[in-house]
Amino acid sequence: MILSKLAARPVLLLFGLVAAFALPWLIYPPVAMDIACWALFAAALDLLLGFTGLLSFGHAAFWGGAAYAAGLIAVHWGVPFPVAVLGGALFAAVLAVPIGYLSVRLRGIYFAMVTLAFAQMVYFVVNQWRDLTGGENGLQGVPREFFGMDLSDPFFFYYAGLPFVLLGLFAVWRIVRSPFGRVLVSIRDNPARAQALGYPVERYKLLAFVLSAGLSGLAGGLYAISHGFASLHEVYWTTSGQAVMAVVLGGIGTLWGGAIGAALIVELNDYLATAGFTETGLVTGGIFVVIVLVFRRGVWGTARDLIAARAARRSPAAGTDSAAAQVEAPDRQEVTAR
């Protein structure tokens, strides 16, 4: 694939880094931070959905659970925000162990429904434990402490939090292209054959689930620190649905597509909210339906396939010459032998 090869080249990577660093200069810095967090969230979910074949509707539990954990660590312990964010990611990974252990034994819609049920259980606990989480009022007053530096300006906080997003995206990229990632793809395509080859399928799925949850928690904790609060919306099932939508819009199993889908959704929601339109879900849902019908492989996946097909049509003569050369080769060898 043309674009998949380009994705491994420094030129496209440099373009992505330039876009990430230039983003708060082009749009409102808090929105830029939201795009960065949701891009990491979508990439983490794509690790599970696109490369392991597990559709989870419960990742709001890890995103939101890490948001509350990071907020509580920052509020009660007064530690620098990187420690709080990493603490939230660790909490999400630990929370994913029992949930994943009970869920990965199932497949298809059953797996999706079980993860959704666990996420709703987390939502219930957060809502009822008012003394700790604030209940419906949420956890407010989360500080951005960083060794006495003033990070109250969203513009400066964006660059303080961006390394966490980049490290998270690099971790997803490295996992996908490692031997472990190849096994995950084989499990996605044919779990029975992977089992026959001696791979512990359920153990690999559980590890992928925990890694995905931890990276989702990294994004969720940074999101809470950025906004200065954590709300019930972070652990509600619609948050999981929005992450799935971002992955599908960009392209399942593409990694780059998750970031594109997240940027489209966050920017569209911000534009509609700024315009005073309250039914944002109606518009985003309609766009989602259109893109699924028109771009079956998502925005990035469809663009990749179109460029590959166009490149193949441009070089039919090269393919014909190559085939002719292969046909003539035995004749030349026969003449030489004579």
Side-chain angles (χ1 to χ4, degrees), residues 96-234:
V97 174
I99 296 177
Y101 181 79
L102 297 173
S103 302
V104 297
R105 303 172 185 273
L106 304 174
R107 299 179 183 179
I109 191 63
Y110 302 103
F111 175 84
M113 291 298 100
V114 167
T115 55
L116 175 60
F118 279 116
Q120 289 302 99
M121 291 173 59
V122 173
Y123 173 83
F124 176 80
V125 171
V126 172
N127 188 27
Q128 295 299 318
W129 202 349
R130 294 182 177 86
D131 295 337
L132 182 66
T133 64
E136 295 179 355
N137 297 322
L139 181 65
Q140 303 180 14
V142 178
R144 300 176 183 174
E145 176 64 30
F146 190 65
F147 302 107
M149 295 180 60
D150 183 16
L151 295 177
S152 58
D153 190 336
F155 182 84
F156 294 113
F157 182 76
Y158 175 86
Y159 290 105
L162 183 61
F164 290 93
V165 176
L166 296 179
L167 287 175
L169 292 174
F170 175 77
V172 177
W173 177 86
R174 189 66 187 88
I175 291 170
V176 168
R177 282 161 176 77
S178 67
F180 172 77
R182 304 298 183 188
V183 175
L184 293 182
V185 173
S186 68
I187 292 174
R188 178 200 66 189
D189 294 338
N190 196 331
R193 185 174 183 181
Q195 184 75 41
L197 290 174
Y199 292 106
V201 172
E202 290 185 0
R203 189 182 305 173
Y204 272 87
K205 287 183 178 181
L206 177 59
L207 185 53
F209 189 87
V210 173
L211 289 172
S212 176
L215 291 168
S216 300
L218 182 66
L222 187 61
Y223 184 87
I225 299 293
S226 172
H227 284 262
F229 68 89
S231 66
L232 285 176
H233 180 71
E234 313 310 328

Side-chain angles (χ1 to χ4, degrees), residues 249-316:
L249 287 180
I252 299 175
T254 60
L255 291 185
W256 286 93
I260 295 174
L264 290 175
I265 291 176
V266 173
E267 187 63 27
L268 180 60
N269 286 335
D270 177 71
Y271 175 79
L272 293 175
T274 304
F277 190 80
T278 57
E279 300 297 333
T280 56
L282 182 63
V283 177
T284 55
I287 294 176
F288 175 76
V289 171
V290 171
I291 289 183
V292 168
L293 293 176
V294 178
F295 304 102
R296 295 296 181 90
R297 298 182 61 83
V299 175
W300 181 261
T302 302
R304 178 189 61 189
D305 293 345
L306 289 176
I307 292 177
R310 189 173 183 181
R313 287 196 301 268
R314 282 184 174 180
S315 56

